[in-house]
Amino acid sequence: MSTPPRRKRTDEIVDAIKRMIVEHGLGPGDRLPQERDLISQFAASKGTVREALKALEVQGLISVRTGPGGGAFIERMSEGRAMSLLSNFLFAKNLSIANIYEMRKALEPLVAASATPHIDEAGLKRLEAIISVYDHEPADATERWNQRMAELDFHGIVAEYSDNPILAFTCRFLQRLLKDLAIAQDIYVQPEPVARAGGIQHQRDLIAAMRRRDVTAVTAILTEHMAEAEQHMLQLQARLENRFLSEDAAPRRKRSAR
């Protein structure tokens, strides 16, 4: 049996500092021990400790300040920054609408089920209010865009009430990917009417099921809703791509007719 490769000393120190942050209950703005104390504590060289601190800084967990009163300070890693880092990682991966919905179909029913025991009446009212943003045809392009974003925000509100933080984060990240994905944005700005009545009914049924704490119904409703949402988006994508192909072919036909 092969033995696992020996970890770099820098990585061991990074993990040890992370444990220290948790065990000592350190929060944003708190200072880590001075560099010389870290060198002594980990029996490491100055270069190794500085490399570990730099790795933590790149991860967004600390900031290193120089000068009087300087040192390494705990930073708050915002959800937005974490999502931006993940988005950058996926930037060159040729992410597709189908990729995103493959994950959403699996996870959105789970996050809604986990949120059902915890969502309160105020949360349910928020869901009802956001439906009113897109339960009618938009008056202009700005309202059309806002409606599409609100449709995704509905599911972000549901995720807020989940007791599973990694599940909630992942679902909100998938929703953000749809907002940022170029082909999805092209779809969202199209002026054609959107058949959203079925989706809205699913969401109203979901609210009713969550209000009566019916986890089984919540799971079934979101499973069906996500499958239909994927089909709808893929149909819109195919229609848009066909339109682009037709518009591209038209000049060629015109040139060949000369």
Side-chain angles (χ1 to χ4, degrees), residues 145-221:
W145 176 263
N146 291 338
Q147 286 182 340
R148 296 301 182 87
M149 297 302 101
E151 289 171 351
L152 291 169
D153 290 340
F154 176 96
H155 297 283
I157 294 172
V158 171
E160 288 179 23
Y161 291 89
S162 171
D163 61 355
N164 185 328
I166 191 169
L167 180 59
F169 172 83
T170 304
C171 287
R172 285 195 293 268
F173 178 57
L174 293 170
Q175 294 151 17
R176 171 167 167 166
L177 286 178
L178 274 178
K179 290 182 177 183
D180 294 343
L181 192 67
I183 183 62
Q185 291 183 352
D186 288 341
I187 291 170
Y188 294 150
V189 298
Q190 294 304 303
E192 58 197 66
V194 176
R196 55 168 56 95
I200 290 174
Q201 188 58 53
H202 278 145
Q203 292 177 344
R204 287 178 172 148
D205 291 343
L206 176 72
I207 293 170
M210 296 183 87
R211 184 169 271 125
R212 63 177 186 269
R213 310 298 183 193
D214 189 341
V215 173
T216 301
V218 164
T219 302
I221 291 165

